[in-house]
Amino acid sequence: MSIPAIKLMTTLRSGHATSPRLTWYGPDSERVELSGRVLDNWVAKTGNLLQDELDAEPGMRLGLDLPVHWKSLIWALAAWQLGMETVLDRGEADLLVTDNPESGAGKYDAVIAVALPALAMRWPGELPAGVIDYAAEVRSHGDVFMAHSDPSASGYAIADHEGTRHLHQDLLTGFSAPHDEGVRLLVTASDGLEAALSNSLGAWHNGGSVVLVHPDVQLTEQLLAAERVQGS
């Protein structure tokens, strides 16, 4: 069964696939730009890591213990494409994705450590026993995602801050924020991960793209003009 997240990834890799879809401004002058095709490749690799190494399947819960970052959006999209539910509040989950792997010891079926710098090829330092190094493992997985099990549209995708649990079938119509067609949307990390996910989904769903900005990055007129930001 095709669910909205799968349809969204199909659109991102096939419609204007070389156009920017996600641009990240991070600390230390970091700028990462992902086209629709490259964004889909990252999501596919991450989804294949979930399936092939962690035996993830529809209905399982993935804890996202990450700050707002382009990699946290990748993980959410990968989980949704697989039919999993993302958990943002350190609530009960089967698997944990985190930039603080010490915090998940013994509480989850598996813990995945995510190094945030764009050029990181592995976790900087020692990891607790059994923790998976995302940067070291993800590149070995395939660029095309094929689900082993059909996800259910009536399964849960995410719970918002008000406690409402949104189904996969409603991800792009109930959870995502409405935005204009083709918008080049500014998304500020200071608004939190839920807002970043909701706004990014809304922009992509309407053929737009996202400029995601870390709180330490100054929003200058030059930056906004260079990125052709149309909304916020």
Side-chain angles (χ1 to χ4, degrees), residues 92-168:
E92 184 177 345
D94 302 292
L95 310 173
L96 179 70
V97 179
T98 180
D99 62 338
N100 180 24
E102 299 286 350
S103 66
K107 302 176 183 177
Y108 304 89
D109 293 344
V111 176
I112 306 96
V114 177
L116 297 179
L119 300 179
M121 300 300 290
R122 63 187 68 257
W123 183 263
E126 295 295 322
L127 283 171
V131 172
I132 294 172
D133 185 343
Y134 175 65
E137 297 294 332
V138 69
R139 287 175 173 81
S140 66
H141 291 273
D143 292 344
V144 177
F145 177 76
M146 297 291 290
H148 295 171
S149 304
D150 286 340
S152 172
S154 60
Y156 290 116
I158 191 170
D160 62 27
H161 67 282
E162 295 179 344
T164 301
R165 297 177 78 188
H166 298 271
L167 304 179
H168 279 282

Side-chain angles (χ1 to χ4, degrees), residues 219-226:
L219 291 173
T220 64
E221 291 297 327
Q222 181 180 5
L223 184 155
L224 298 177

